[in-house]
Amino acid sequence: MTTTPTPRVTIKDVAARAGVSKGAVSLAFNHKPGLSEATRDRIFRAAQELGWAPSPTARTLAGSRVDVVGLAICRPARLLGLEPFYMEFVSGVESVLIEQSCSLLLRLVRSLEEEVGLQESWWRGRQIGGSILVDFRADDPRVAAVERLGMPAVAVGHPSLTGSLTSVWTEDATAVTEAVRYLAALGHRRIARVGGAAALGHTSMRTAAFDEAARALELAGAWQVATDYSGEAGARATRSLLTAAPPDRPTAIVYDNDIMAVAGLAVAAEMGLSVPDDVSLLAWDDSQLCRITHPPLSAMSHDVHGFGAEAARTLFGLITGEGPGSHPVPTPVLTPRGSTAPPRV
């Protein structure tokens, strides 16, 4: 019995499905100007529906030069614009891209599922030469998706979260332990942590490390509150912690970012509490925000700009085959300032 072979999908089929010319398809997949974003998206959608992509030969002939790197972030635009961490991180990425005469394609997404589709569209559409992935969760769907695509990607996250992907990360558990031990050494026995989104892998690691340190030090009280990293959420969490009467009120609070720590400082002032006499505050990340407050905030400091630059360098090394592979960056270190002191007796 003779079977009829399935017809091979061609660029002509993609053009017909999208309602454009073959030349327009070529412009879209070569990331050339001359098309509206709506038309470009329609072409990529048609190609995805038909299962068509430029042949490996055509991709090879086009050369291996990387002109664009992708970065998708699953955060609300309002919050992202206020958070110093990502501004510094992107600045570090850009510092390397400038050296490589390369551009950054930055998109905000609403879910990991949306990002998986976006990364696939970018790669199949030849819009990017590789991608930087951030904010990993447990069983993150991006790991399998990137492996399937064969797309060069660097994961910013602990290897326990990033599977076979090349990764760069900070040892968050070590830093949390140092923060709790420092506050305990000052004499604090009731310590709280205002954490980030519970679904994030690095938040889970910090949570576990905080619990373990509190048990090891036999603290009299240890509280943890999950938030969305916003100043509003940080203020609410601080208010709920500080409205409790002693001995159920913490004498020290660790925050998962600087915005929440600054908000916490304002709440303490609003409640008539002195920092650090009544309550010590310690921020994560460190930034200019921590230095311009009164008193200046103690912080777990690390080079966020350098972190972004290292992620970008690692991606280019992965693409060229000359990179270091997965590796940690320096662990955040404690920088005491005016917001931490021994508790009042």
Side-chain angles (χ1 to χ4, degrees):
M1 180 178 178
T2 303
T3 58
T4 303
T6 303
R8 183 171 64 89
V9 178
T10 67
I11 190 172
K12 181 178 179 181
D13 299 316
V14 175
R17 171 68 69 94
V20 298
S21 67
K22 290 191 295 182
V25 176
S26 180
L27 286 175
F29 276 87
N30 283 292
H31 199 50
K32 300 293 185 181
L35 298 175
S36 68
E37 284 304 311
T39 300
R40 197 180 300 274
D41 289 345
R42 190 166 73 249
I43 291 169
F44 292 146
R45 189 165 56 250
Q48 184 175 9
E49 291 168 355
L50 293 171
W52 181 87
S55 70
T57 301
R59 190 181 295 278
T60 300
L61 290 173
S64 58
R65 176 180 172 79
V66 179
D67 292 315
V68 180
V69 165
L71 172 61
I73 301 176
C74 189
R75 297 282 180 94
R78 177 187 61 83
L79 178 58
L80 187 67
L82 295 173
E83 192 170 19
F85 175 88
Y86 270 119
M87 297 301 99
E88 281 290 303
F89 184 84
V90 170
S91 174
V93 171
E94 286 279 15
S95 71
V96 174
L97 299 190
I98 290 171
E99 296 173 0
Q100 300 288 337
S101 299
C102 186
S103 299
L104 180 67
L105 182 54
L106 175 64
R107 283 279 295 274
L108 302 186
V109 295
R110 292 162 293 186
S111 67
L112 292 185
E113 291 70 27
E114 181 181 347
E115 182 180 343
V116 167
L118 176 66
Q119 298 285 357
E120 183 170 348
S121 174
W122 278 351
W123 180 244
R124 294 194 185 282
R126 299 177 66 197
Q127 292 180 270
I128 60 172
S131 199
I132 297 171
L133 310 176
V134 298
D135 285 344
F136 275 78
R137 276 76 161 173
D139 301 317
D140 199 294
R142 293 172 294 177
V143 174
V146 170
E147 290 172 342
R148 183 181 68 252
L149 290 171
M151 178 180 73
V154 165
V156 178
H158 194 271
S160 63
L161 302 167
T162 59
S164 67
L165 303 183
T166 297
S167 58
V168 293
W169 70 94
T170 57
E171 294 289 358
D172 284 8
T174 301
V176 166
T177 302
E178 181 184 359
V180 176
R181 287 177 177 171
Y182 163 71
L183 292 170
L186 289 177
H188 294 279
R189 307 301 300 163
R190 301 190 303 277
I191 303 173
R193 170 175 163 262
V194 177
L200 294 175
H202 66 263
T203 298
S204 297
M205 291 179 178
R206 295 180 189 183
T207 299
F210 184 92
D211 282 339
E212 184 176 345
R215 283 194 300 270
L217 293 165
E218 299 181 342
L219 298 182
W223 301 264
Q224 298 198 70
V225 183
T227 71
D228 62 2
Y229 284 113
S230 69
E232 293 88 344
R236 284 194 300 271
T238 304
R239 196 171 286 110
S240 69
L241 290 166
L242 295 182
T243 50
D248 296 322
R249 188 174 75 197
T251 60
I253 305 175
V254 181
Y255 295 86
D256 264 21
N257 72 0
D258 39 15
I259 289 179
M260 294 194 296
V262 171
L265 182 63
V267 168
E270 163 199 311
M271 298 177 68
L273 298 175
S274 173
V275 175
D277 294 333
D278 295 316
V279 60
S280 287
L281 306 182
L282 178 61
W284 200 283
D285 292 335
D286 201 5
S287 70
Q288 281 298 113
L289 282 178
C290 296
R291 302 180 191 102
I292 64 176
T293 59
H294 181 74
L297 287 164
S298 297
M300 299 305 297
S301 305
H302 62 126
D303 183 2
V304 178
H305 181 277
F307 194 9
E310 188 61 23
R313 279 193 292 266
T314 303
L315 177 59
F316 281 102
L318 177 64
I319 293 169
T320 62
E322 300 174 352
S326 296
H327 62 282
V329 299
T331 301
V333 295
L334 181 67
T335 304
R337 297 194 182 100
S339 66
T340 48
R344 283 178 172 170
V345 179

